[in-house]
Amino acid sequence: MAAQFGRRLRKGAATTAVAAVAVAALSASQAPGVNDHGRQTAADATPSPEASASDGSATGNSPYYTDLPPLKSPNPSPSTGPGPGGTGATEAGIPATVLDAYKKAESTLREAKPGCNLPWQLLAAIGRVESGQARGGRVDAEGTTIKPILGPQLDGNGFALIKDTDDGAYDGNSSYDQAVGPMQFIPSTWAWAGRDGNGDGKKDPNNIYDAALAAGHYLCRNNWDLSQQGDLDRAILSYNNSRDYLNLVMRWLEYYRKGTHEVPDGTGTLPDNRSDDGEGASPTPTTPGTTTPAGSTPRPGPKPDKPDKPGKPAGGGTTTPKPPTTPPGTPSTPPTTPPTPTDTVDHLEDAGTAKLTAMAGDAFGRRISTRAETEAGKAVAKVRVRFTIVGDTDTTFTGGEDVATVATNSSGVAVAPALQAGEKTGTVTVRATVVGRAVPGLDYKATVTERAADALARTGDAALTCAPGGTFANQVEVKATYKGAVADGVAATATLIKSADDPTATDKGPYFKDAGGKAVRTLTGLKTDAKGLLKLPELYADDTTGTFLLRVTTAGGATLTVELTVAAAETSSPSPSASPSA
């Protein structure tokens, strides 16, 4: 977690290694097994060996709180009241507004991405580890934190090096990025993952409703199913790429699953220990809107005064100054920061992307590949490339997002996730840009064509006949396919044509009826259903007899011609009269 509370109760060094040992000890002390709901406990839910995170993360791998859930039951007891610093039932309490935000995010994702199976307890576990549930629920009525929650600036000094990507818009720092808000998003991730969770028209990382919904969407990308342990591991690791982080979040997830309850806002417990032991922590601003000065190195809050050592002057006494290590008058040399890979990028080049075409509703078979290069044309690895779908389109990346950030590999190439075509046809633009570097973007064009069929066939073989002025007993039903597969949602037209050589509509013979009962001989706007089937309306006959043709055509060129017959009913001939008797 990246925020530091106004006062910290330091119980001793709490490094990541210590936290890992404590997790192991806690796992041993709690009997493993399956809980009442049939879920695995965290002790049994061993992270999948193949689970791995992307080079980027939601938090920029910022520090987090390492406090473990208590051994005591999370169920509240009448004798245990809420209050900061407590354990057991108090520890299980989640501030009312924060809890409401988690549950609303789960409900929204249940409709938007039902295959994700996001539990609100996962958001609660991450929120506990990242910010102590928004600093114990210090939020206003709209869910915005009373004071902004900022992580340390990611200047490479004990943390990742992420130079400013938002010109200080979210974190107030125009030199380096800092994780922001109760779910600790770095600005470059919030730029695409941010959501409006409380319907106020804004996407504010310091609002728990916005942040919780954004975290839910972030965890549900890549078509991950969080009811599967492997996908759950990948999602958590993508939030902060640390095995200790994964184990800790899993421990809190299982703890909250066993029971939790609502406590008043502002009364939640505050964590004590952090993965970086608090060194280099960024203080939470004392006034909303104040931030760490750009380019400065944040420091932790003041530590308790220590008693004076023997032999040292006390109070306002003086001490013997130490001799300077540098001779007077020597000009100081400002420290220099070595360039990052991002600093060396001069431009982006296409890395062999093939023509991008897909039918509406289908996945694109090809993916966009972009290479980051220096001015001399040398590939640059470990650079974050952001792919953004721009313009009025419903085409998305797999998982439903319109933005994806991918790190370049050892060859300097970033491969975007697969595109999923929407229903809007036409040209789609995908723009590749370098995160944290103002170099021209690279635009790719993808084409979405209308759904098509290459074959049509009747589903039955009954003869289509009718008496003059009557109604055809059988309706025409056809099935459309494309390359042998069902062609659903394909536009079709049905026309009663003059002849096989003249596809214009005839003015006599069989006809359909419109909504007003008027005879029509061309139907447009037809579409095949999910099974590729199209059942035409009833057909009627006028008084004209003969053989007529019905032609059905679809997008993609599939054509089927059906023969219709209108004939008078046959009458039996009279029997010959008997010859006269002799």
Side-chain angles (χ1 to χ4, degrees), residues 249-570:
V249 169
M250 282 299 303
R251 182 60 63 188
W252 278 105
L253 169 61
E254 290 303 321
Y255 182 74
Y256 285 134
R257 274 175 166 167
K258 292 175 183 175
T260 187
H261 57 282
E262 179 183 296
V263 299
D265 289 345
T267 66
T269 57
L270 308 182
D272 296 328
N273 306 305
R274 216 177 60 180
S275 60
D276 66 337
D277 197 24
E279 295 302 320
S282 167
T284 299
T286 57
T287 304
T290 61
T291 56
T292 305
S296 65
T297 301
R299 299 296 177 195
K303 296 184 179 181
D305 293 335
K306 295 182 180 180
D308 294 322
K309 294 183 179 180
K312 297 288 184 181
T318 60
T319 59
T320 304
K322 295 182 179 179
T325 56
T326 304
T330 302
S332 59
T333 302
T336 59
T337 302
T340 66
T342 301
D343 294 331
T344 67
V345 177
D346 177 75
H347 60 273
L348 294 174
E349 288 285 344
D350 177 47
T353 303
K355 186 177 180 181
L356 300 168
T357 303
M359 284 197 304
D362 288 353
F364 282 76
R366 309 276 185 173
R367 295 164 69 178
I368 296 171
S369 298
T370 300
R371 183 170 56 252
E373 296 183 354
T374 65
E375 186 176 6
K378 183 179 178 181
V380 185
K382 298 183 179 179
V383 172
R384 288 179 297 157
V385 176
R386 179 179 296 144
F387 297 95
T388 306
I389 300 172
V390 298
D392 181 19
T393 179
D394 54 356
T395 291
T396 64
F397 291 113
T398 302
E401 305 294 345
D402 57 10
V403 180
T405 301
V406 182
T408 57
N409 59 20
S410 59
S411 299
V413 175
V415 180
L419 286 165
Q420 177 68 40
E423 294 303 319
K424 292 183 179 179
T425 60
T427 301
V428 177
T429 300
V430 181
R431 182 165 298 148
T433 55
V434 179
V435 176
R437 182 84 171 145
V439 299
L442 188 61
D443 284 356
Y444 292 85
K445 301 297 183 182
T447 303
V448 179
T449 62
E450 62 181 332
R451 294 173 182 254
D454 57 13
L456 282 173
R458 279 190 66 193
T459 58
D461 56 4
L464 298 168
T465 60
C466 179
T471 302
F472 283 82
N474 299 306
Q475 289 179 250
V476 177
E477 184 181 65
V478 299
K479 182 174 183 178
T481 56
Y482 183 78
K483 295 182 179 180
V486 166
D488 61 312
V490 177
T493 299
T495 306
L496 291 148
I497 61 177
K498 290 181 177 179
S499 69
D501 298 325
D502 185 354
T504 57
T506 184
D507 56 0
K508 59 183 178 180
Y511 60 90
F512 299 106
K513 287 183 180 181
D514 63 13
K518 182 180 177 181
V520 293
R521 291 185 169 87
T522 299
L523 296 177
T524 60
L526 305 173
K527 277 193 175 182
T528 59
D529 64 15
K531 296 180 180 179
L533 299 177
L534 173 62
K535 192 169 187 177
L536 299 180
E538 283 187 318
L539 277 163
Y540 304 88
D542 61 15
D543 294 334
T544 308
T545 60
T547 300
F548 303 89
L549 300 178
L550 169 66
R551 179 163 292 172
V552 182
T553 59
T554 67
T559 301
L560 175 67
T561 303
V562 180
E563 190 174 277
L564 308 173
T565 302
V566 179
E570 293 184 3

Side-chain angles (χ1 to χ4, degrees), residues 141-310:
E142 284 71 41
T144 302
T145 56
I146 302 301
K147 298 175 183 178
I149 300 177
L150 292 176
Q153 67 176 16
L154 300 173
D155 57 5
N157 184 23
F159 309 112
L161 176 57
I162 303 179
K163 293 190 176 182
D164 176 62
T165 62
D166 66 330
D167 198 25
Y170 295 115
D171 55 14
N173 190 334
S174 59
S175 295
Y176 300 96
D177 273 352
Q178 296 174 247
V180 183
M183 302 304 281
Q184 287 291 277
F185 280 96
I186 54 174
S188 60
T189 302
W190 183 262
W192 64 266
R195 294 293 191 279
D196 177 14
N198 62 351
D200 64 355
K202 297 183 294 184
K203 300 176 183 178
D204 181 3
N206 276 302
N207 181 278
I208 185 59
Y209 288 100
D210 294 358
L213 183 58
H217 274 279
Y218 185 89
L219 295 164
C220 285
R221 70 197 195 287
N222 298 329
N223 284 333
W224 282 328
D225 178 357
L226 302 186
S227 66
Q228 302 298 316
Q229 188 63 47
D231 282 356
L232 179 60
D233 293 348
R234 294 180 185 92
I236 296 173
L237 283 171
S238 78
Y239 211 90
N240 191 310
N241 191 8
S242 162
R243 284 282 169 175
D244 293 331
Y245 182 89
L246 169 61
N247 292 334
L248 183 60
V249 169
M250 282 299 303
R251 182 60 63 188
W252 278 105
L253 169 61
E254 290 303 321
Y255 182 74
Y256 285 134
R257 274 175 166 167
K258 292 175 183 175
T260 187
H261 57 282
E262 179 183 296
V263 299
D265 289 345
T267 66
T269 57
L270 308 182
D272 296 328
N273 306 305
R274 216 177 60 180
S275 60
D276 66 337
D277 197 24
E279 295 302 320
S282 167
T284 299
T286 57
T287 304
T290 61
T291 56
T292 305
S296 65
T297 301
R299 299 296 177 195
K303 296 184 179 181
D305 293 335
K306 295 182 180 180
D308 294 322
K309 294 183 179 180

Side-chain angles (χ1 to χ4, degrees), residues 85-118:
T87 58
T90 304
E91 191 74 52
I94 298 178
T97 300
V98 178
L99 180 60
D100 183 57
Y102 295 150
K103 291 185 175 181
K104 282 189 174 179
E106 178 198 56
S107 177
T108 300
L109 267 299
R110 190 183 301 122
E111 294 183 8
K113 297 184 178 181
C116 176
N117 296 305
L118 171 79

